[in-house]
Amino acid sequence: MKTFDNAMVSSHLNHVRIVMVNTTLPANIGSALRAMKTMGLSKLVLVAPKTYPHPDIDALAAGATDLIEQIEIVETLEQAIADCHLVFGTSARSRTIPWPLLDVRPASEKALQAVVQQQQEVAIIFGREDRGLTNEELALANYHVTIPVNTEYGVLNVAQAIQIICYELRMATLAYEQQDNNNDVQSMPVNNQIDMHWDEPLVTQEQMQQFYPHLEKMLEEIEFLDLNNPRLLPLRLRRLFGRIQLDRMEYNLLRGIFTRVQALSQGKWKKSTDKEDQPHV
């Protein structure tokens, strides 16, 4: 019989947060907490909940009321994921621009890989009960995740969806621990992607929310982007860089390029032969 270090499993899952956006029914918050606790997750962030606090949260939490004290309340989704490196947005609908899409199982494996190998903070975002996440909110995610439900009756409420994803996260964690105990596999590849080990830490979502306006401003100044008629260009750029996941050196390098291009377009840059002025990579 296999045994698992529950403390180690919990330490991995502590790097994963569940984010609920504009939740209307307090009962769904309580049910989400119960779903999380049964699978070993404890971090719940609520973005501008419609009703909070409420007795239904305590009632539906049913034994997970200790997690209520740990709930974080924020006003915007950007605040909820500011210190995260990897973000998954749950979506059941096709969108204007297809985003990198993973089923819940490979998404859970990818999330755990990010936690174990690179100590990343991970967020799973769930939208409103009636209409899910907006296109703008989904654009903040690196990946979209979907649950392969019965196509003839694909009806899940938000708490049920949270239960399924938390279960898959736990199973991915247990599988990793089993591999580690057996010393059979040192890394957990997902979708046959190359196992990457960065020499620099990956940037957070907060840093990326400074990156995109800088990129768009630079493109506007060189007349590549018309902010009055941007079409889908900003969204496509977010998809591109969200898929790449920049590290700190790459981030600083690109921000430096944007600044140089802006200076050149404004006639403010004078060529220098001083090696100290050259970028270091």
Side-chain angles (χ1 to χ4, degrees):
M1 182 176 65
K2 300 293 183 183
T3 60
F4 299 98
D5 186 340
N6 193 59
M8 184 62 71
V9 171
S10 296
S11 70
H12 293 329
L13 293 176
N14 282 341
H15 290 278
V16 181
R17 73 191 62 177
I18 300 298
V19 180
M20 299 176 72
V21 178
N22 294 155
T23 309
T24 299
L25 299 176
N28 280 331
I29 298 174
S31 296
L33 289 172
R34 184 171 60 186
M36 291 169 58
K37 187 166 185 177
T38 58
M39 296 301 147
L41 286 87
S42 60
K43 290 186 176 181
L44 177 62
V45 183
L46 302 178
V47 178
K50 300 294 185 182
T51 306
Y52 185 89
H54 193 278
D56 284 354
I57 297 176
D58 298 69
L60 271 295
T65 52
D66 57 310
L67 298 189
I68 295 176
E69 299 177 358
Q70 302 179 45
I71 291 176
E72 182 180 355
I73 310 292
V74 297
E75 288 301 314
T76 68
L77 180 54
E78 288 84 354
Q79 291 173 320
I81 62 175
D83 61 334
C84 292
H85 306 89
L86 185 62
V87 177
F88 296 87
T90 55
S91 176
R93 295 173 289 168
S94 60
R95 302 288 172 164
T96 303
I97 296 182
W99 224 255
L101 180 67
L102 294 172
D103 282 347
V104 59
R105 184 157 298 173
S108 299
E109 293 171 351
K110 189 169 189 65
L112 183 68
Q113 183 184 49
V115 168
V116 172
Q117 296 184 358
Q118 293 147 357
Q119 291 72 55
Q120 295 184 44
E121 294 295 320
V122 176
I124 317 290
I125 309 171
F126 295 83
R128 302 153 190 82
E129 290 94 335
D130 58 342
R131 55 192 176 91
L133 296 165
T134 66
N135 287 338
E136 292 74 18
E137 290 164 345
L138 282 166
L140 296 175
N142 300 98
Y143 296 91
H144 293 173
V145 58
T146 186
I147 297 172
V149 296
N150 178 5
T151 55
E152 296 180 1
Y153 188 75
V155 181
L156 286 174
N157 69 28
V158 65
Q160 291 172 328
I162 289 173
Q163 179 72 82
I164 291 170
I165 288 182
C166 288
Y167 167 80
E168 291 292 347
L169 285 165
R170 184 167 187 82
M171 293 304 293
T173 307
L174 294 177
Y176 174 83
E177 283 300 303
Q178 180 175 343
Q179 291 172 352
D180 193 49
N181 289 340
N182 292 340
N183 293 319
D184 291 333
V185 181
Q186 296 302 318
S187 63
M188 183 175 57
V190 177
N191 292 345
N192 297 320
Q193 294 181 1
I194 298 173
D195 180 22
M196 297 293 291
H197 296 274
W198 273 262
D199 57 349
E200 292 282 338
L202 299 181
V203 298
T204 63
Q205 289 298 312
E206 182 177 33
Q207 291 168 302
M208 290 307 294
Q209 296 319 309
Q210 299 169 12
F211 177 90
Y212 293 123
H214 192 183
L215 170 59
E216 292 171 12
K217 181 65 174 175
M218 181 269 293
L219 294 176
E220 180 190 23
E221 291 181 4
I222 63 173
E223 299 182 1
F224 189 85
L225 171 66
D226 180 0
L227 291 182
N228 294 318
N229 186 27
R231 300 183 183 273
L232 295 175
L233 179 58
L235 199 57
R236 291 186 183 278
L237 289 170
R238 284 176 178 265
R239 180 177 66 175
L240 168 64
F241 286 105
R243 188 170 68 245
I244 292 173
Q245 279 195 279
L246 299 175
D247 67 25
R248 183 173 57 191
M249 182 67 74
E250 295 163 342
Y251 174 88
N252 289 334
L253 176 62
L254 286 171
R255 292 290 300 270
I257 291 173
F258 300 163
T259 300
R260 179 71 61 86
V261 170
Q262 287 176 299
L264 286 168
S265 69
Q266 298 165 11
K268 297 179 180 179
W269 175 255
K270 294 183 179 180
K271 187 175 181 180
S272 174
T273 59
D274 190 344
K275 292 183 179 181
E276 292 298 319
D277 292 337
Q278 303 303 312
H280 298 281
V281 296

